[in-house]
Amino acid sequence: MIIILTEGTNLGTKSRDDGRAFDELRPLTIEAGVLERADGSAYLEFGGNKVLVAVYGPKESFIRRFQRPDRAYIRCRYNMAPFSVDDRKRPGPDRRSVEISKITAEALQPAILLEKYPRSVIEIFIEVLEAEGGTRCAGITAASVALADAGIPMRDMVVACASGKVNDEVVLDLSEVEDKDGQADVPVAIMPRSGKITLLQSDGSLTPEEFEKAVDLAVEGCQSISKVQKEALKNRYGE
Ligand code: UDP
């Protein structure tokens, strides 16, 4: 099932590289339950990003490092395929993927009822098959659907979206070109029901007013994306 989501009020003054309005998301589709062997899975396309997520668990943790006496431990691996970017990426973890794996686990953690599963582990594998800017957000959004697909009890979903500053204007959902040539990138994740922010990063320079506008814009984007997450789960499991 394909769900296309495009929005935007085109009130911005300057046009963007791909013709989007300042508050317009790239087309988004999410499908839940795409892998037979994982406990939960999701496939997401967001603009030129293609991301596959597999979830296992909660299951008993036999590695002491990944055991917590009072709750489950989230092990997350974000991986970019060598063929996902223009210049072939060297396979294996690097500083960037280690950082994104860590912030992804931290962004998802508040939504999961970890206390129900002491000494167990929940594994999340995020595979970026094609990248076009905003893969950390795409990974978090898809991972949340995969966790729900695995039947892992959650307080809320987690949904992520970046905003930033390009050509002196605050815009929603940066493409790869905008990410590279822009002045700032602000990835945000929220739990959409409570509005609680679970990830907030900022790279680049923004005035306090621009930063506030960027966060508000990203939160609005997250709320739109959250509807597509819900549709994906409804398509798999019904109402
Ligand atoms: N990128 C790339 N090669 C790399 C890492 C990233 O071409 O080794 C591209 C990719 O399109 C990615 C974008 O640069 O989406 C922005 O990367 P960033 O580190 O800002 O993370 P993201 O925006 O993907 O969360």
Side-chain angles (χ1 to χ4, degrees), residues 116-198:
K116 271 183 169 267
Y117 304 99
R119 278 178 288 280
S120 39
V121 66
I122 296 169
E123 288 179 324
I124 304 170
F125 296 95
I126 299 173
E127 297 291 329
V128 178
L129 307 176
E130 279 183 15
E132 198 234 334
T135 58
R136 74 193 61 209
C137 292
I140 291 168
T141 298
S144 179
V145 174
L147 286 163
D149 182 51
I152 292 172
M154 290 160 83
R155 296 179 175 85
D156 198 351
M157 297 292 279
V158 178
V159 50
C161 183
S163 58
K165 186 174 164 187
V166 182
N167 295 327
D168 294 325
E169 197 167 12
V170 175
V171 297
L172 180 63
D173 181 27
L174 304 192
S175 66
E176 183 180 274
V177 178
E178 290 176 326
D179 187 306
K180 286 189 175 147
D181 299 343
Q183 296 139 293
D185 179 22
V186 183
V188 175
I190 63 164
M191 295 201 284
R193 254 191 308 174
S194 64
K196 186 179 166 197
I197 291 177
T198 66

Side-chain angles (χ1 to χ4, degrees), residues 49 78 80 84-87 89 94 96 99-100 131-137 174 176 179-180 185 187 203:
N49 293 305
Y78 163 102
M80 231 177 188
S84 66
V85 285
D86 280 341
D87 295 326
K89 193 203 154 282
D94 52 22
R96 179 177 172 276
E99 180 236 338
I100 295 180
E132 198 234 334
T135 58
R136 74 193 61 209
C137 292
L174 304 192
E176 183 180 274
D179 187 306
K180 286 189 175 147
D185 179 22
D203 182 12

Side-chain angles (χ1 to χ4, degrees), residues 30 41-44 51-53 137-147 229:
I30 307 176
S41 59
Y43 175 68
L44 171 149
V51 178
L52 188 61
V53 179
C137 292
I140 291 168
T141 298
S144 179
V145 174
L147 286 163
Q229 281 184 324

